[in-house]
Amino acid sequence: MSNEYDCEITAGGTIPGSQSPAFSLHLPRSLPLPVLIAAPHGGRAYPEETLADMREPRWSALRLEDRHADGLAQEVAQATGAALLVAHAPRAVLDLNRAVEDVDWAMVTGRAPRGATHSQANRRARSGLGLVPRRLPGLGEIWKSPLPKDTLERRIAEIHRPYHDTLARTMETLRDKWGAALLIDLHSMPPLKHHGEQDKPAEFVIGDRFGSSCSDSIVAVALSHFGEARRRVAYNRPYSGGYVLERHASPRRGLHAIQLEVCRSAYLDARLEEPGARISGVVRLLAGLVRRLASEIAGLGAAGSVRQAAE
């Protein structure tokens, strides 16, 4: 498997209120690895109208973003030759790890569509972090005014739908070449809480929706990789994976997916705002993980092709 990163870059979608693309796909021409790295929460292309409508734009942005996870994903992809899908649309505008039904309609002007799930029955929207985030701990309401329904519909049509269509096509392209493909949905998390003086919280969390989104061997390789590097890792707690894995993972069809959370203190500065001195070490660690998982996925794809030929 080559680590050359000769790729075609395609911009997709549009962020309403700006001319900026909603995301970019970096697809290596030779598809040297059966892996797609996606960073759905790293976008920082804020339209002026969005910033003007936020009560505390800088404070809210820092807490909603997976800060510089897009840059981390890009460096790992370049080091390995993996395909890369990075969002430019900020999570404040629309959360790509939520279903389009996951809306708190109390924050939207106009009537909810017929049959829409009320936010009281929707755990994510009820927490304030639905398709469009509404509230943050320590701040309360993010927005100065309600969201027009037609603005929400434009965001879904121009950001959410094309992003997930592109993700699905790319995974199928990789699967068709290799027999199986792996999505690494890359996120960052605030430092986990200590539960005692001797407690050392995990720096990384691997989620597979409790065994439903990928082969067990993928998780075993990932846990082993972090363990051998003596880095603290957790499995499905407190993050097991969200809508992206639910929608795009189908191990029976050769489409595997994990969510990988990286503690922001592992690669950002002390203020958790900008890349820090430790980022190069995290890139090397994750690049090694991608190479090992790519070999595992290629083996699963080859084994599946043999089984199909024998049937």
Side-chain angles (χ1 to χ4, degrees), residues 200-230:
K200 293 184 178 181
E203 301 171 278
F204 304 90
V205 179
I206 298 165
D208 67 351
R209 295 188 65 81
F210 299 97
S212 67
S213 70
C214 69
S215 167
D216 291 344
S217 65
I218 295 300
V219 172
V221 170
L223 292 173
S224 177
H225 180 77
F226 287 114
E228 291 168 12
R230 298 187 178 182

Side-chain angles (χ1 to χ4, degrees), residues 44-92:
R44 297 186 300 280
Y46 291 89
E48 288 298 324
E49 62 188 40
T50 299
L51 293 173
D53 198 37
M54 297 175 81
R55 292 179 55 218
E56 296 285 348
R58 186 175 184 277
W59 193 94
S60 299
L62 282 173
R63 282 150 185 82
L64 286 170
E65 292 172 12
D66 285 355
R67 189 71 172 169
H68 292 290
D70 54 337
L72 183 63
Q74 185 162 356
E75 290 198 38
V76 174
Q78 290 175 341
T80 60
L84 173 69
L85 180 63
V86 288
H88 308 305
R91 186 183 182 187

